[in-house]
Amino acid sequence: MPKMVFVGRDGSRKEVEAPLGLSVLEIAHRHGVDIEGACEGSLACSTCHVIVDGAWFGKLAKPTEDEEDMLDLAFDLQETSRLGCQIIMTDALDGLVVKLPAGSRNAGG
């Protein structure tokens, strides 16, 4: 089974199993990772904002315009920021590393 790594706000790393077809948000919730996801993945908030490791960012599908609009509302926005609900696990993403932002802002959710 693919794996992925969540890097906590304190720099700690948590490697977890990442079933194919689940979103980063769903994987986080399965493993008790502190990502809110207030809108439950319906692209109506930015509380599942994650910062994708630069080595992995180019392997992701491009964000939709709706995702970019929600990211504009995210706290601690970075060049490699994405919404966890929009990153779906595939074999190509086995080993994916995402960092939790310094905080979140529940805008629109």
Side-chain angles (χ1 to χ4, degrees):
M1 176 176 298
K3 298 204 180 299
M4 68 170 291
V5 176
F6 289 95
V7 179
R9 292 172 184 87
D10 62 359
S12 63
R13 295 172 67 88
K14 182 174 186 173
E15 183 178 74
V16 300
E17 289 189 347
L20 297 175
L22 289 187
S23 71
V24 167
L25 175 62
E26 292 168 315
I27 294 163
H29 286 172
R30 277 194 174 192
H31 296 285
V33 175
D34 186 24
I35 297 178
E36 184 178 350
C39 75
E40 299 178 353
S42 65
L43 259 182
C45 75
S46 62
T47 60
C48 67
H49 167 220
V50 294
I51 301 161
V52 178
D53 183 273
W56 289 96
F57 189 73
K59 297 179 182 185
L60 302 178
K62 298 280 185 227
T64 63
E65 191 173 319
D66 287 342
E67 180 182 357
E68 288 181 343
D69 288 347
M70 282 296 118
L71 280 169
D72 286 343
L73 305 173
F75 181 78
D76 192 25
L77 192 65
Q78 308 280 319
E79 228 175 270
T80 61
S81 289
R82 293 293 301 268
L83 296 181
C85 69
Q86 298 301 298
I87 302 171
I88 306 302
M89 200 61 184
T90 65
D91 282 324
L93 295 180
D94 186 8
L96 175 68
V97 178
V98 300
K99 183 176 188 284
L100 304 184
S104 71
R105 180 183 298 141
N106 188 1

